[in-house]
């Protein structure tokens, strides 16, 4: 497992053991949305701000790799669906662990929707990929969301802590899931999950709301954040990531982090 330990260090801050991940896998699900039309520019902006890793499909490695600028970890996503498919919640494998290794990835990720009609097959895929990651020393981040016909509120703590625990039980090294709304309830999620948890950013929101989400998640035991649209669609992705880093790596408040954005825009 030494390979996992070495690669995990490439996607986190070695001093704080926390991480800021910016997912850029939206091109498959939603196409060339704002902020991701130019992948290498998007990567450069968040890397300059201090992000620890970016996450995306093969295209991120092919078209987002820069020959200069700050180093940043690469997480390649293995599963996908499109927003106009018959069931967007049905994620299928589109890449492999060995191919991700060949492309220079520091980790891989998968998306599983707990409660979806295709949950059983997605769990089967997650278990199989987790075993392959153990064999190759590749860290696995599992994106776990309570989504399906019987899920009324995907932020319900009972659903979220189940989703997080499933990922850990099946071999994931890091779990990404949604915020439950307050630090106390999110602590139930992180406390019941034996591997680190990072919080998702969700839909595009205003700066203070997003930074308060980050602050609450960190207070609730998160290892870090995995926030996409609120980062790469920001008017200054670099400043937003710097503000997020102030909370994640320095323990500052959302109000204090807002000053970083406000002072320089």
């Amino acid at each position: 497992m030494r390979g996992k330990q070495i690669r995990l260090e490439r996607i986190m801050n070695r001093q704080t053991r926390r991480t800021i991940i910016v997912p850029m896998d939206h091109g498959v699900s939603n196409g060339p949305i704002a902020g991701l039309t130019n992948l290498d520019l998007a990567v450069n902006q968040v890397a300059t701000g201090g992000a620890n890793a970016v996450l995306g499909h093969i295209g991120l490695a092919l078209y987002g790799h820069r020959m200069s600028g700050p180093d940043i970890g690469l997480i390649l996503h293995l599963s996908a669906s499109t927003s106009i498919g018959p069931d967007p919640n049905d994620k299928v494998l589109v890449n492999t662990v060995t191919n991700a290794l060949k492309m220079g990835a520091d980790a891989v990720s998968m998306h599983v929707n707990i409660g979806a009609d295709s949950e059983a097959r997605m769990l089967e895929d997650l278990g199989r990929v987790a075993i392959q990651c153990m064999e190759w020393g590749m860290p696995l981040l599992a994106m776990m969301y309570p989504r399906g016909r019987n899920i009324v509120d995907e932020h319900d703590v009972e659903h979220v802590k189940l989703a997080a625990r499933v990922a850990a039980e099946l071999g994931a090294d890091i779990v990404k899931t949604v915020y439950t709304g307050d630090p106390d309830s999110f602590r139930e999620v992180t406390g019941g999950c034996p591997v680190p948890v990072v919080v998702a950013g969700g839909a595009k929101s205003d700066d203070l709301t997003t930074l308060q989400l980050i602050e609450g998640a960190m207070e609730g035991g998160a290892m870090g954040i995995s926030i996409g649209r609120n980062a790469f669609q920001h008017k200054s992705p670099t400043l937003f990531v710097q503000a997020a880093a102030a909370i994640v790596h320095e323990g500052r408040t959302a109000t204090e982090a807002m000053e970083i954005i406000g002072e320089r825009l």
Side-chain angles (χ1 to χ4, degrees), residues 103-117:
M103 299 192 75
D106 302 302
V108 295
S109 61
M110 285 187 62
H111 184 145
V112 175
N113 289 312
I114 297 296
D117 291 349

Side-chain angles (χ1 to χ4, degrees), residues 16 28 44 46 50-51 59 125 133 227 253 260 263:
T16 66
V28 171
N44 196 59
V46 300
D125 289 343
C133 285
I227 290 181
T253 67
I260 296 173
E263 287 174 358

Side-chain angles (χ1 to χ4, degrees), residues 81-108:
S81 67
T82 73
S83 58
I84 61 172
D87 182 7
N89 284 332
D90 183 7
K91 302 293 180 178
V92 299
L93 289 176
V94 293
N95 196 0
T96 66
V97 175
T98 52
N99 186 64
L101 279 166
K102 292 175 184 177
M103 299 192 75
D106 302 302
V108 295

Side-chain angles (χ1 to χ4, degrees), residues 168-215:
E169 293 281 357
L170 294 185
D173 300 290
I174 302 173
V175 177
K176 172 184 176 179
T177 194
V178 296
Y179 187 49
T180 52
D182 63 85
D184 288 338
S185 62
F186 199 66
R187 200 171 289 113
E188 291 187 45
V189 178
T190 58
C193 183
V195 300
V197 177
V198 296
V199 70
K204 187 75 171 70
S205 186
D206 65 272
D207 291 343
L208 182 57
T209 298
T210 305
L211 294 174
Q212 286 173 335
L213 181 153
I214 297 171
E215 181 184 5

Side-chain angles (χ1 to χ4, degrees), residues 145-146 150-164 177-181 185-186 188-189:
Y145 296 93
N150 296 321
I151 304 295
V152 177
D153 178 11
E154 70 175 62
H155 299 273
D156 184 285
V157 64
E158 296 301 320
H159 297 328
V160 178
K161 67 182 182 182
L162 168 63
T177 194
V178 296
Y179 187 49
T180 52
S185 62
F186 199 66
E188 291 187 45
V189 178

